[in-house]
Amino acid sequence: MFPEQRKGHIVWVNDIKAARNLEKYGNVHFVSRRLHYAVIYLDVEREEETLRNIQRLPYVKKIERSLRSEIKTEYTKESEDKTRFYSM
């Protein structure tokens, strides 16, 4: 796989229009207008410094770390295939 160069964070905001300014700090992947959050990817080397700067912004409520990199994406087939019993 690829070496981990970026980490995802969910930034909860008060103002969606102001959330466009987050592009200065990292790669904005998604902005939810209804739930008022943005998914942003940051460089690992400058992550702590960038998070401190983002937290100081007046329209930011809180920042959460994305757990997507920790989710298991390799699946195994442990049970037998039961679809053959349901065929006509």
Side-chain angles (χ1 to χ4, degrees), residues 25-86:
Y25 299 101
N27 184 11
V28 176
H29 181 70
F30 177 74
V31 177
S32 172
R33 294 182 184 277
R34 186 172 60 94
L35 297 177
H36 293 270
Y37 72 89
V39 178
I40 185 170
Y41 286 97
L42 304 174
D43 292 334
V44 174
E45 301 90 31
R46 301 179 304 167
E47 179 183 11
E48 292 298 323
E49 176 188 345
T50 308
L51 286 177
R52 280 195 302 268
N53 291 337
I54 292 174
Q55 189 65 43
R56 291 181 187 146
L57 297 173
Y59 54 87
V60 173
K61 291 184 198 176
K62 67 178 180 177
I63 301 173
E64 296 177 358
R65 187 173 54 92
S66 175
L67 301 176
R68 184 164 190 230
S69 62
E70 298 173 8
I71 295 175
K72 185 177 124 180
T73 57
E74 297 176 6
Y75 304 105
T76 60
K77 187 175 181 181
E78 295 176 358
S79 63
E80 64 182 63
D81 187 18
K82 296 182 180 180
T83 56
R84 62 187 172 116
F85 297 116
Y86 300 114

Side-chain angles (χ1 to χ4, degrees), residues 16-27:
I16 294 299
K17 288 185 179 180
R20 294 180 191 160
N21 293 332
L22 292 174
E23 292 178 355
K24 292 189 283 188
Y25 299 101
N27 184 11

